Amino acid sequence: AVESSHSVAVFPLPLQTAEMPSTIISSPLTVLGGGSVTWANVFGTTVDSSGNLWLSDQNNNRVLRIRNPLTNPMVDIILGQTSTAPTTTTSMTQYNLNSPGQLKFDHHGDLFVSDCSPEFAGSYRMLRWDAKTLNSIPMPQTICVFGNPALPADGVYGTNGSFNVYEGIDR
């Protein structure tokens, strides 16, 4: 996938020269249970083992999970906030994000989020959501699940194990 500020282009593999995207996922997107979200700056994308697309919305301090991204894209998880409204909250807890950047799943299915993007933005930490935490959502879902308070991060790196301490560069 290739991301821009307001869309994500999905290309078939293997990638060929001058290939056109097979799908373009654009903002805004419908949210499960009602409403919609608009993202301001997609900084990172990844796909989980079930084919859900995850993207970091850097300017709104959140990570979105988009289920059925190729057929009927819908946001069903929002990490880092309590509602669909954009947030400028940058407090550091195991529930909040501060300019999230790159995302990656490891071989256990744990999600790692760099809570820091280039140019000295963010909290200079990395958060981990364990697969068991992400899979604890009862299925089938009928409403969007918000990371605050339903899905706190399970681990933090770069802050001596504290979710609430800022260890980055002085601003």
Side-chain angles (χ1 to χ4, degrees):
V2 175
E3 63 266 357
S4 73
S5 290
H6 298 286
S7 65
V8 176
V10 180
F11 291 87
L13 295 177
L15 190 59
Q16 304 292 323
T17 302
E19 188 81 52
M20 297 301 294
S22 59
T23 304
I24 296 178
I25 302 168
S26 298
S27 176
L29 280 180
T30 302
V31 174
L32 183 63
S36 65
V37 292
T38 301
W39 57 78
N41 187 18
V42 174
F43 199 84
T45 59
T46 193
V47 177
D48 65 24
S49 62
S50 297
N52 299 303
L53 174 65
W54 294 76
L55 60 87
S56 63
D57 182 3
Q58 175 191 10
N59 293 357
N60 291 315
N61 302 309
R62 62 188 174 193
V63 169
L64 309 173
R65 183 176 87 171
I66 303 169
R67 72 179 189 186
N68 304 316
L70 301 178
T71 56
N72 184 25
M74 181 174 295
V75 175
D76 66 349
I77 293 177
I78 302 176
L79 299 177
Q81 57 191 78
T82 60
S83 72
T84 58
T87 182
T88 57
T89 301
T90 57
S91 62
M92 290 180 301
T93 70
Q94 66 191 106
Y95 301 101
N96 296 354
L97 294 166
N98 183 0
S99 293
Q102 295 299 322
L103 313 169
K104 181 74 175 166
F105 281 94
D106 70 4
H107 63 281
H108 298 291
D110 299 340
L111 174 64
F112 290 81
V113 176
S114 171
D115 200 24
C116 178
S117 48
E119 303 300 329
F120 305 105
S123 61
Y124 302 95
R125 63 184 184 163
M126 182 175 294
L127 298 172
R128 183 194 75 245
W129 279 265
D130 293 344
K132 66 178 174 66
T133 300
L134 296 174
N135 295 328
S136 68
I137 302 163
M139 291 303 205
Q141 278 178 261
T142 56
I143 60 169
C144 183
V145 174
F146 296 96
N148 187 354
L151 295 171
D154 295 294
V156 61
Y157 306 92
T159 58
N160 291 323
S162 173
F163 287 100
N164 305 351
V165 173
Y166 177 74
E167 294 288 338
I169 299 169
D170 290 335
R171 296 184 198 196

